[in-house]
Amino acid sequence: MKVVIAYDVSNDDARARVSARLAAYGSRIQRSVYECFVDAETLPGLLEGLEQLVDVRTAVVHAFPVCASCAEGRRAIGQDRATVEDAYWVVM
């Protein structure tokens, strides 16, 4: 499933940890926005892990699941760096 995760974290160390965690699941599409690919069982653990990294009194993390039909309608203008979910390697 595709999930767009956006965050606003003022603490530099926490922000770097959040970014590193999200990079393991997807691609940065804006400075504090990632397009992640996780299954329904993984998402709760990812969000719990992010909650442990931030001070919830001063930071916020938003997770927006994107349905398949909505994802197909995705449009980008400019320097789009998002990855394709169905990427594969061909070894010859």
Side-chain angles (χ1 to χ4, degrees):
M1 138 177 58
K2 184 182 292 192
V3 180
V4 173
I5 299 181
Y7 56 93
D8 184 4
V9 179
S10 58
N11 180 282
D12 292 341
D13 293 334
R15 188 173 51 252
R17 289 191 298 269
V18 168
S19 178
R21 177 77 54 96
L22 292 174
Y25 292 92
S27 298
R28 176 178 272 170
I29 58 175
Q30 289 287 317
R31 187 173 299 264
S32 296
V33 182
Y34 278 79
E35 185 176 54
C36 299
F37 300 97
V38 295
D39 55 40
E41 293 79 29
T42 304
L43 181 58
L46 171 59
L47 295 177
E48 288 171 15
L50 293 173
E51 184 176 8
Q52 298 299 316
L53 297 177
V54 301
D55 181 350
V56 296
R57 297 170 299 172
T58 59
V60 63
V61 177
H62 297 279
F64 303 96
V66 180
C67 69
S69 62
C70 292
E72 290 174 7
R74 178 186 182 279
R75 300 293 180 260
I77 299 170
Q79 300 176 8
D80 184 19
R81 296 187 182 136
T83 58
V84 177
E85 182 175 1
D86 297 306
Y88 57 90
W89 291 90
V90 176
V91 179
M92 301 179 86

